[in-house]
């Protein structure tokens, strides 16, 4: 203990006699006799500065009665240095006269050594921390610079890739429209398909890199779930039809409108649906959606895609959500792909505070799922207009030989408050319909699947018409094949409407309301009819003036051709400065604005136009900058909408149609025009659909003969009518 705390000795100095009394321990500390504190010889016990400090403290104690407590360097008799702690207090007589000093001496050499060592380590540690902090700051700056460089590289790479892709897809589209050679048209179609596939790969790579760089920004906007799901199935539908797969949709328990990033949600759904279709050779693919939890306006939703494919072996499952991994990575693999889709889906789900997972039975199919937190739409918009007739209580006969499709559609009908009887074959449908009609309980409408065995939907309705005659309920053909032959056969068999699988809630509702109201044959909604936006633009907006701001000459050529094809008058500007000058000098109905241009970029040009001319003219970004933050930047600058290059012609037409001013009619002329339009509505369908009403005309063969060009067919038919009516 003594070694640990150091030796402690005592001393007493008699002021009157000048003598000093010390303990043996004090003498041991110094290795000698200790002489009076103020004797000059006592300076040999301490270095000069320490002696002066001690002497001043002793004098202050003697003169003013001040105690002291000092830590001083000292010298032993052999000259070796030590450190001591010297403490003293005054001793007074009965009349308060200071007669002496009493104190202690402690050897603190070891404590001082440890303290100095600790201080040395502390200083060294501070130096290391400072150096490390500087290194971390430098590393952070370098990382931020690298991230910014990567983000800029990705944006530039996206722009540089999308710009020529826009030209490839746009020119191929124009050439297909103008070609009368069936072989050339088919080759151009393959070029277009390959371009879209390449674009999807590019998008996946860029999106994955952007997520890893921490630059992916989610949008927050209201969207229609039915529109989103329809778009997802449009992307995978053609491939599913080629393979004869049935697509099934079960999302009725989700709100009709939600708020979140619809683009990224759609991307995740397309990835899962596309994989399911790719790896399923026969059977069906089903998309289910459900609400797992509610927290105020926030909803945790789960989407799962189930298929009847080959399934996935257990050893392959853990790595499937890793980038560049595939279920089939062999040299002889039968399916293409980059292996990025599931990894991207995992990242997107994480961004939406969700998770991913899968379950599979080898040889029996798989189920891939992800969750996401979304919100209810800010404004609850009624999805359907008020029902012109009530659906509640109406009786429906549902016929489908696929149990999964039968269950999904039956549940959807019941959610519309209809009474549903479901059967799985045409023969059972005929038997049940005859029985109910005989009992005076005829059905209000029948939904009959097309492709069934042994009696398909067409044959089923014909059998019912033979049996029930005029008492036959109106029939709706439900089919997974959205093709002209389906419409033609449906009309010939006297179906009153066609529903294309997978059936969304809004499509089912609108179809039933139309049928039960007695509207007669129904066509697809305008948004779903190929070429409808193009037709409306030509019919309603021919002659409208559009300013195209684009510095790439090939993209100018493509856009001018596409817009001129629908009768729009197009003027061009090669940079933002020219665009501002033109926009302020004359009136345009719409401005299509690129972002990256010389002299002045599109964002700066838009701000200048808005500051000086207000927001009268709609401005739509048409740019290869396709990331979410670029879209947000466009909207923040005052643009109304955003189109990512390469621009799909149908999407371009739909967007232009959305922002062009509505044609104005006044007074009685407007009413008469509206009535005439209503009466002529069937005649204003796309020509291809109108021609399906002509009995005996094989419209599919006619289009093949003229290379798929509706305009050429229209010219031929007009000549035929003119000369051979």
């Amino acid at each position: 203990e003594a070694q640990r705390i150091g030796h402690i000795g005592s001393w007493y100095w008699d002021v009157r006699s000048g003598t000093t009394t010390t303990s043996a321990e004090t003498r041991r500390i110094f290795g000698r006799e200790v002489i009076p504190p103020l004797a000059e010889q006592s300076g040999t016990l301490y270095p000069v500065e320490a002696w002066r400090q001690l002497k001043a403290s002793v004098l202050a104690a003697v003169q003013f009665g001040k105690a002291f407590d000092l830590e001083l360097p000292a010298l032993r008799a052999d000259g070796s240095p030590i450190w001591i702690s010297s403490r003293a207090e005054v001793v007074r007589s009965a009349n308060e006269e200071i007669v002496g000093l009493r104190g202690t001496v402690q050897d603190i050499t070891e404590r001082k050594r440890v303290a100095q060592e600790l201080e040395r380590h502390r200083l060294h540690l501070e130096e290391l921390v400072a150096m490390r902090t500087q290194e971390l700051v430098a590393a952070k700056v370098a990382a931020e610079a690298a991230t910014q460089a990567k983000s800029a590289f990705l944006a530039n790479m996206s722009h540089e890739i999308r710009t020529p892709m826009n030209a490839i897809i746009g020119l191929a589209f124009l050439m297909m429209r103008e070609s009368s050679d069936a072989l050339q048209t088919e080759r151009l179609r393959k070029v277009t398909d390959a371009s879209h596939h390449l674009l999807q790969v590019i998008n996946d790579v860029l999106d994955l890199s952007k997520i890893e760089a921490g630059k992916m920004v989610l949008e927050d906007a209201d969207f229609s779930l039915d529109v989103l799901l329809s778009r997802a199935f449009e992307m995978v539908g053609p491939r599913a039809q080629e393979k004869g797969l049935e697509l099934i949709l079960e999302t009725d328990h989700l709100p009709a409108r939600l708020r979140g990033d619809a683009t990224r949600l759609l991307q995740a759904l397309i990835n899962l649906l596309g994989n399911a279709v790719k790896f399923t050779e026969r059977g069906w693919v089903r998309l289910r959606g459900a609400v797992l939890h509610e927290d105020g306006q926030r909803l945790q939703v789960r989407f799962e895609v189930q298929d009847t494919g080959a399934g996935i072996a257990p050893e392959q499952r853990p790595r499937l959500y890793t980038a560049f991994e595939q279920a089939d990575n062999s040299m002889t693999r039968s399916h293409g792909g980059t292996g990025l889709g599931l990894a991207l889906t995992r990242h997107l789900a994480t961004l939406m505070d969700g998770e991913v997972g899968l379950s599979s039975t080898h040889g029996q199919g798989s189920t891939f799922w992800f969750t996401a937190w979304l919100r209810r739409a800010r404004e609850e918009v009624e999805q359907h207009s008020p029902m012109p007739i009530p659906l509640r209580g109406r009786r429906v006969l549902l016929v489908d030989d696929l149990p999964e499709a039968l269950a999904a559609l039956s549940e959807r009908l019941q959610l519309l408050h209809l009474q549903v009887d479901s059967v799985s074959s045409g023969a059972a449908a005929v038997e049940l319909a005859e029985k109910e009609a005989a009992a005076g309980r005829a059905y209000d409408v029948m939904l009959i699947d097309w492709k069934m065995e042994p009696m398909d939907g067409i044959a089923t309705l014909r059998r019912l018409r033979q049996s029930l005659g005029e008492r036959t309920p109106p029939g709706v053909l439900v089919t997974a094949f959205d093709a002209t032959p389906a419409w033609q056969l449906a009309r010939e068999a006297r179906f009153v409407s066609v529903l294309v699988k997978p059936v969304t809630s809004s499509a089912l509702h609108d179809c039933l309301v139309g049928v039960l109201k007695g509207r007669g044959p129904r066509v697809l909604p305008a948004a779903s009819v190929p070429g409808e936006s193009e037709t409306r633009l030509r019919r309603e907006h021919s002659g409208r003036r559009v300013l195209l701001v684009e510095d790439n000459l090939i993209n100018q050529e493509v856009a001018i051709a596409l817009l001129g094809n629908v009768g729009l008058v197009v003027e061009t500007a090669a940079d933002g400065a020219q665009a501002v000058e033109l926009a302020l000098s004359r009136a345009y109905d719409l401005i299509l604005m690129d972002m990256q241009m010389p002299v002045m970029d599109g964002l700066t040009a838009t701000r200048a136009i808005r500051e000086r001319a207000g927001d009268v003219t709609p401005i739509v970004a048409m740019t290869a900058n396709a990331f979410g933050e670029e879209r947000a930047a466009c909207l923040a600058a005052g643009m109304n909408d955003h189109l990512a290059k390469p621009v799909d012609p149908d999407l371009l037409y739909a967007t232009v149609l959305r922002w062009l001013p509505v044609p104005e009619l006044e007074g009685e002329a407007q009413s008469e025009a509206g009535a005439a339009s209503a009466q002529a509505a069937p005649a204003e369908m796309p020509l291809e659909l109108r021609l399906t009403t002509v009995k005996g005309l094989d419209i599919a063969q006619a289009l093949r003969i003229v290379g798929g060009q509706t305009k050429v067919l229209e010219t031929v038919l007009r000549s035929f009518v003119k000369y051979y009516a």
Side-chain angles (χ1 to χ4, degrees):
E1 181 69 9
Q3 289 178 350
R4 187 180 71 81
I5 65 174
H7 302 295
I8 300 177
S10 60
W11 57 272
Y12 178 76
W13 180 49
D14 190 319
V15 174
R16 289 170 296 188
S17 64
T19 58
T20 301
T21 304
T22 59
S23 67
E25 193 62 41
T26 301
R27 293 191 293 274
R28 189 177 299 114
I29 291 173
F30 287 96
R32 69 174 84 178
E33 288 290 335
V34 180
I35 56 181
L38 292 181
E40 292 299 325
Q41 299 92 326
S42 67
T44 59
L45 297 176
Y46 306 95
V48 176
E49 288 301 323
W51 161 241
R52 288 175 181 170
Q53 183 181 3
L54 177 61
K55 184 177 180 181
S57 297
V58 169
L59 288 173
V62 171
Q63 292 177 7
F64 307 111
K66 294 180 62 176
F68 62 82
D69 184 354
L70 303 173
E71 289 186 358
L72 302 167
L75 298 171
R76 293 176 58 81
D78 58 6
S80 59
I82 60 173
W83 274 86
I84 65 167
S85 172
S86 180
R87 300 177 181 178
E89 58 183 13
V90 297
V91 179
R92 299 178 185 271
S93 64
N95 59 2
E96 294 297 315
E97 180 185 359
I98 297 175
V99 296
L101 295 178
R102 181 189 302 114
T104 61
V105 176
Q106 181 181 7
D107 184 353
I108 59 171
T109 304
E110 181 63 18
R111 193 180 79 191
K112 274 291 185 181
R113 186 193 68 77
V114 172
Q116 289 173 350
E117 185 73 9
L118 287 174
E119 179 65 10
R120 186 177 67 81
H121 283 295
R122 185 185 68 79
L123 293 174
H124 180 61
L125 182 60
E126 285 184 353
E127 182 180 354
L128 288 177
V129 169
M131 291 175 58
R132 183 59 178 158
T133 301
Q134 291 178 352
E135 291 173 0
L136 290 174
V137 169
K140 182 175 181 290
V141 171
E144 289 175 348
T147 299
Q148 291 174 356
K150 184 174 183 179
S151 180
F153 170 77
L154 289 172
N156 290 333
M157 182 63 66
S158 172
H159 186 275
E160 292 303 315
I161 291 173
R162 289 171 181 275
T163 297
M165 287 294 291
N166 185 63
I168 293 169
I169 293 175
L171 290 173
F173 175 82
L174 292 170
M175 292 172 69
M176 278 194 294
R177 294 179 62 88
E178 298 168 0
S179 175
S180 58
D181 186 308
L183 178 60
Q184 295 296 336
T185 301
E186 178 62 20
R187 287 175 174 171
L188 288 168
R189 185 190 65 77
K190 291 180 179 178
V191 169
T192 302
D193 290 345
S195 300
H196 283 294
H197 177 71
L198 176 59
L199 183 63
Q200 185 59 49
V201 174
I202 292 168
N203 287 340
D204 285 349
V205 172
L206 292 175
D207 282 344
L208 193 62
S209 299
K210 199 156 188 69
I211 289 172
E212 291 176 346
K215 292 294 182 180
M216 178 69 78
V217 179
L218 294 180
E219 293 183 359
D220 186 37
D222 292 352
F223 63 89
S224 165
L225 182 63
D226 266 9
V227 171
L228 182 140
L229 296 176
S230 296
R231 181 61 178 156
F233 282 109
E234 282 175 13
M235 298 296 291
V236 302
R239 181 61 176 148
Q241 289 183 21
E242 288 176 11
K243 302 176 78 169
L245 301 177
E246 185 124 348
L247 298 176
I248 304 168
L249 177 63
E250 294 183 28
T251 57
D252 299 301
H253 297 289
L254 291 175
R257 293 185 62 79
L258 292 165
R259 186 171 185 83
D261 192 327
T263 300
R264 299 307 175 190
L265 187 60
L266 175 63
Q267 196 171 2
L269 290 174
I270 290 174
N271 284 337
L272 296 191
L273 287 168
N275 274 352
V277 170
K278 181 197 300 185
F279 291 101
T280 303
E281 297 305 321
R282 63 182 62 85
W284 46 266
V285 172
R286 174 169 54 198
L287 170 62
R288 275 186 176 143
V291 176
L292 297 183
H293 299 289
E294 294 192 41
D295 181 12
Q297 293 299 306
R298 298 180 72 234
L299 302 173
Q300 185 186 35
V301 300
R302 171 183 164 116
F303 292 97
E304 66 176 40
V305 175
Q306 183 180 5
D307 62 60
T308 55
I312 302 167
E315 64 274 11
Q316 295 174 326
R317 297 171 197 168
R319 55 187 175 86
L320 282 183
Y321 280 104
T322 305
F324 309 108
E325 292 287 353
Q326 293 179 309
D328 181 10
N329 262 337
S330 64
M331 291 294 291
T332 58
R333 63 194 180 102
S334 57
H335 303 93
T338 60
L340 291 176
L342 291 179
L344 188 56
T345 299
R346 176 173 60 84
H347 282 297
L348 292 175
T350 301
L351 285 174
M352 292 184 280
D353 298 324
E355 300 175 325
V356 297
L358 70 97
S359 59
S360 181
T361 302
H362 194 48
Q364 297 182 24
S366 307
T367 299
F368 285 81
W369 59 267
F370 71 92
T371 61
W373 279 94
L374 304 171
R375 293 206 299 274
R376 295 186 183 276
R378 287 181 179 173
E379 295 182 6
E380 288 294 337
V381 179
E382 191 68 28
Q383 185 167 354
H384 309 294
S385 57
M387 294 186 187
I389 53 105
L391 293 180
R392 184 183 296 274
R394 294 297 185 106
R395 303 190 67 222
V396 179
L397 176 59
L398 176 63
V399 192
D400 198 314
D401 62 344
L402 184 65
E404 291 78 12
L406 190 69
L409 199 50
S410 176
E411 181 180 8
R412 186 159 295 153
L413 289 165
Q414 290 172 26
L415 287 172
L416 291 174
H417 307 293
L418 293 145
Q419 294 183 18
V420 185
D421 287 337
S422 303
V423 294
S424 58
S425 69
V430 172
E431 180 181 352
L432 183 58
E434 290 175 345
K435 175 183 174 183
E436 293 299 296
R441 297 189 300 268
Y443 292 102
D444 295 294
V445 64
M446 299 182 297
L447 273 61
I448 306 174
D449 188 38
W450 181 15
K451 298 292 187 179
M452 296 187 295
E453 295 292 343
M455 184 191 302
D456 66 17
I458 304 293
T460 299
L461 185 62
R462 285 176 178 156
R463 180 79 63 83
L464 283 166
R465 290 200 175 280
Q466 290 173 1
S467 173
L468 300 178
E470 294 302 319
R471 295 180 300 157
T472 305
V476 176
L477 183 67
V478 184
T479 174
F481 304 93
D482 184 16
T484 299
W487 284 85
Q488 186 169 347
L489 288 170
R491 293 184 189 281
E492 290 176 356
R494 296 170 64 188
F495 278 95
V496 296
S497 187
V498 175
L499 268 176
V500 180
K501 294 180 179 179
V503 181
T504 63
S505 298
S506 58
L508 178 62
H509 172 275
D510 293 345
C511 174
L512 291 174
V513 168
V515 169
L516 293 174
K517 192 180 179 182
R519 290 178 180 171
R522 176 183 173 275
V523 297
L524 289 169
S528 302
V529 178
E532 175 67 14
S533 296
E534 179 181 350
T535 302
R536 287 186 57 194
L537 280 172
R538 190 179 294 110
R539 183 177 67 240
E540 300 173 7
H541 296 284
S542 182
R544 296 278 192 182
R545 294 166 57 84
V546 175
L547 176 60
L548 173 68
V549 189
E550 172 64 69
D551 64 316
N552 185 287
L553 294 178
I554 297 178
N555 284 336
Q556 271 192 19
E557 178 185 347
V558 172
I560 290 170
L562 289 172
L563 297 170
N565 181 61
V566 294
L568 299 175
V569 178
V570 184
E571 294 184 28
T572 60
D575 58 62
Q578 291 182 20
V580 174
E581 182 180 350
L582 288 171
L584 297 178
S585 63
R586 63 198 72 177
Y588 294 99
D589 297 295
L590 179 68
I591 299 175
L592 295 173
M593 182 77 72
D594 192 15
M595 279 183 68
Q596 290 189 3
M597 295 180 291
V599 184
M600 182 185 291
D601 64 78
L603 297 178
T604 305
T606 299
R607 293 189 191 99
I609 294 171
R610 291 301 187 222
E611 287 173 3
R612 298 170 63 182
D615 56 359
V616 176
T617 305
I619 301 178
V620 175
M622 193 164 72
T623 172
N625 296 69
F627 291 137
E629 54 265 39
E630 278 89 18
R631 175 183 174 85
C634 290
L635 298 178
M639 297 188 189
N640 300 90
D641 210 338
H642 178 280
L643 274 172
K645 293 177 182 174
V647 177
D648 177 83
D650 288 334
L651 183 58
L652 170 64
Y653 290 145
T655 304
V656 170
L657 181 64
R658 181 185 308 125
W659 292 108
L660 281 177
V662 177
E664 293 184 0
L665 295 172
E666 296 182 0
E668 186 177 341
Q670 184 175 9
S671 301
E672 292 176 358
S677 175
Q679 292 173 359
E684 291 177 357
M685 298 179 203
L687 177 65
E688 186 177 346
L689 290 179
R690 277 187 276 140
L691 292 176
T692 61
T693 63
V694 181
K695 187 174 181 179
L697 174 61
D698 189 338
I699 179 63
Q701 175 66 9
L703 283 171
R704 280 195 294 272
I705 291 172
V706 296
Q709 296 187 89
T710 307
K711 194 166 186 63
V712 174
L713 179 61
E714 182 177 358
T715 302
V716 172
L717 291 176
R718 289 190 184 280
S719 297
F720 180 83
V721 170
K722 179 179 180 180
Y723 294 108
Y724 301 101

